[in-house]
Amino acid sequence: MNSWKEKININELPEHIAIIMDGNGRWAKANGKPRVFGHMNGVKAVRQVTEAATELGIKYLTLYTFSTENWNRPEEEVSALMKLLVQTIEQETQTLLKNNVRLTAIGDIDRLPMPVRDKLMECIERTSANTRTTLNLAISYSSRWEIVEMARKLAKDAKDGNIDPETIDESTISNHLTTKGMPDPEILIRTGGEYRISNFLLWQIAYTELYYTPVMWPDFNKENLYEIIADFQTRERRFGMTGEQVENK
């Protein structure tokens, strides 16, 4: 069987792929295991997708790792997730360095437990010079939280006389978001069969191509990603223009 990778035009790769990693809990339940078992197996999918993105040369990969709403989950599950996050970062740091992958994070990082925050920041620092792919973890993140933080910063700048409200435009807002310096995602994937955005990158995905797959996150692999990228390259992205305008452009 041929790989979908063979159908990908390496000269027309998306710069930025974002993924809502959904289905860990349901996958575990279907296998008669506790939810944390699904999260543990989800780490394998993270490894597969990161390797695939790095091999292709995708510049940015953003993974919705833990939302601000996830803090409301049972304390036992949150604690297990935080421990798993520390273990995963410790185990994967050398692989990131070997593969020239830079780790970054967006979200309310100060809310993380200190051991998690310290390990995360250590890995971010150690991989900061890597240049092939940026693996961006959205941790303790939600888009509404991000937009509120952006509004507060702009309001303070305006109050302090550092910015004229009349000059605020789309680029001003983009430059005050946590994704400053990153291109908007061309592709947003949600695994697990749900059809929601779940408060993720609401500003940034204005013209992003959306992909919903029934595949649960622990089962998502390189071939799934390759197939989506190959399909993306067949889509006509119009950005409000007509098909004729895009073709002539």
Side-chain angles (χ1 to χ4, degrees):
M1 180 179 176
N2 294 332
S3 169
W4 280 98
K5 188 177 183 180
E6 298 172 11
K7 298 181 181 295
I8 294 174
N9 182 345
I10 205 71
N11 296 313
E12 295 182 3
L13 291 172
E15 277 194 283
H16 188 175
I17 297 175
I19 304 179
I20 300 173
M21 305 180 292
D22 193 23
N24 287 342
R26 283 173 288 149
W27 183 90
K29 184 177 180 181
N31 285 276
K33 301 289 186 178
R35 290 178 61 85
V36 68
F37 182 75
H39 297 307
M40 291 170 64
N41 280 272
V43 172
K44 299 176 184 177
V46 171
R47 189 179 298 118
Q48 283 250 333
V49 168
T50 303
E51 286 179 359
T54 304
E55 289 167 5
L56 288 173
I58 303 295
K59 291 299 183 183
Y60 296 90
L61 176 65
T62 295
L63 304 180
Y64 204 2
T65 307
F66 190 86
S67 74
T68 54
E69 291 84 1
N70 287 155
W71 290 113
N72 297 319
R73 289 190 174 186
E75 185 177 345
E76 181 181 351
E77 181 177 351
V78 172
S79 177
L81 279 169
M82 292 297 114
K83 290 178 182 177
L84 180 61
L85 186 55
V86 170
Q87 292 171 2
T88 302
I89 292 172
E90 287 179 337
Q91 292 169 2
E92 299 299 325
T93 298
Q94 287 302 321
T95 302
L96 295 178
L97 289 167
K98 177 183 177 182
N99 293 328
N100 198 17
V101 176
R102 177 174 68 124
L103 183 71
T104 59
I106 58 174
D108 190 2
I109 306 301
D110 290 339
R111 194 173 176 183
L112 295 172
M114 190 173 294
V116 179
R117 187 167 67 248
D118 289 349
K119 187 59 63 177
L120 176 65
M121 298 312 295
E122 178 186 340
C123 186
I124 287 174
E125 175 61 29
R126 290 185 64 188
T127 62
S128 61
N130 293 345
T131 57
R132 182 161 180 81
T133 297
T134 294
L135 174 60
N136 182 42
L137 304 183
I139 304 178
S140 190
Y141 171 91
S142 76
S143 194
R144 289 186 174 183
W145 165 85
E146 178 183 38
I147 290 170
V148 167
E149 289 297 302
M150 174 273 299
R152 285 174 176 164
K153 291 174 185 175
L154 283 179
K156 186 177 188 305
D157 284 346
K159 181 180 179 181
D160 294 343
N162 296 323
I163 191 171
D164 179 356
E166 294 297 322
T167 66
I168 295 174
D169 57 15
E170 290 187 11
S171 64
T172 308
I173 292 175
S174 293
N175 287 331
H176 281 75
L177 295 175
T178 59
T179 51
K180 176 184 177 181
M182 298 183 195
D184 291 338
E186 290 100 322
I187 297 174
L188 172 63
I189 303 166
R190 182 178 185 129
T191 63
E194 301 288 357
Y195 295 86
R196 292 189 296 273
I197 300 300
S198 295
N199 208 354
F200 185 48
L201 300 178
L202 298 179
W203 174 272
Q204 296 88 338
I205 63 170
Y207 282 101
T208 298
E209 299 294 316
L210 306 180
Y211 287 85
Y212 297 98
T213 171
V215 178
M216 298 295 177
W217 179 245
D219 291 329
F220 196 84
N221 58 34
K222 292 183 178 183
E223 278 302 309
N224 298 127
L225 183 66
Y226 295 150
E227 182 178 1
I228 288 172
I229 293 173
D231 180 82
F232 166 79
Q233 292 182 337
T234 69
R235 292 193 181 186
E236 181 181 70
R237 306 186 72 212
R238 297 196 294 270
F239 300 96
M241 295 184 287
T242 66
E244 291 77 10
Q245 284 177 304
V246 172
E247 187 174 329
N248 292 332
K249 186 178 179 181

